[in-house]
Each structure stands twice: as C-alpha cells, then as structure tokens.
Amino acid sequence: MAYFHINKERSFSFEEGEKIVKECIEYVVSGDDYSQAQAQNWTVNIVKRCATQLAQLGKSYKYIVTCTVMPKRDAGLHMASCCYWDNVMDGSFMVKWENRTMFCNVNVFIIAML
C-alpha cells in the first residue's frame, strides 16, 4: 500500500482514497449513460461526496477534489497539474473511471494541516 504520513495517526492511504472515490463515482452515476444535461449535476455531486467521505476519515488533511465527465468519442483529453508543496506531507492521486458511454476523471489533492 502506498502511504504518505508524518506519523501513524496522520497517515493517508492512497489505496483507501482511490476506493472511496470509485465508490462515490459509482454511487452518483449508478450505471447511467452519458447525458450532457446530467453531466454538471454528476460532477458537482461527485466532488461533494468525495470531499465529504474523505473528510470523514478524520485525518488532519485538507482535500481539493476536481472532476471531469465526458462522453466516449474520438477525442482526446489531456490533463496536467502542478503543485508547489511539501512532498513528504502533501500528495495527490487521480482516479480514472469509465463505462460504455463516458469517462470520469477525479483528481484529489491532499494537503496536511499543521
């Protein structure tokens, strides 16, 4: 398991975070086909649910969650992020999820509260 931490109480498991995010995506989208009319609601609900679930872990971190939902088509999507932070205490991960009609990418940034 990949972790970063200051001490045992403040450790953060990326695997646990990824599991939470995948469960949030599946809860919100729940097997639906892509719908442009629903995409905005999905993204808002996914980021809110992810942030709430991550905060309920009770760790001393702030969470920033972003979400992109797009239809599966012959188009590319390129994303990048750059952060200036403490590589020992802060981190990030991305979850890529898809079904037969859409892609969903969720980025989570974890920043230690001192």
Side-chain angles (χ1 to χ4, degrees):
M1 281 192 169
Y3 288 90
F4 70 91
H5 63 283
I6 300 166
N7 59 41
K8 186 73 171 169
E9 294 79 39
R10 294 188 60 174
S11 66
F12 185 88
S13 163
F14 288 110
E15 286 83 4
E16 184 178 17
E18 289 171 357
K19 180 181 177 214
I20 288 169
V21 170
K22 285 178 186 175
E23 289 171 356
C24 291
I25 295 167
E26 290 169 3
Y27 178 86
V28 171
V29 177
S30 64
D32 292 340
D33 287 340
Y34 178 80
S35 165
Q36 185 172 349
Q38 286 295 322
Q40 180 65 35
N41 289 334
W42 288 334
T43 57
V44 168
N45 289 329
I46 288 168
V47 297
K48 284 182 178 179
R49 188 169 183 84
C50 288
T52 299
Q53 295 290 323
L54 291 166
Q56 288 177 353
L57 292 173
K59 305 290 184 178
S60 295
Y61 292 101
K62 294 180 184 179
Y63 302 98
I64 301 166
V65 182
T66 66
C67 179
T68 303
V69 172
M70 63 182 283
K72 277 191 173 178
R73 297 209 174 113
D74 284 337
L77 172 65
H78 303 276
M79 299 177 358
S81 65
C82 180
C83 301
Y84 180 76
W85 58 23
D86 183 334
N87 289 328
V88 173
M89 297 168 46
D90 305 325
S92 68
F93 64 92
M94 180 171 63
V95 172
K96 297 176 183 178
W97 179 93
E98 66 181 272
N99 67 14
R100 64 181 189 81
T101 64
M102 71 179 114
F103 295 105
C104 179
N105 293 316
V106 175
N107 290 294
V108 178
F109 300 90
I110 305 114
I111 297 120
M113 293 189 296
L114 300 176

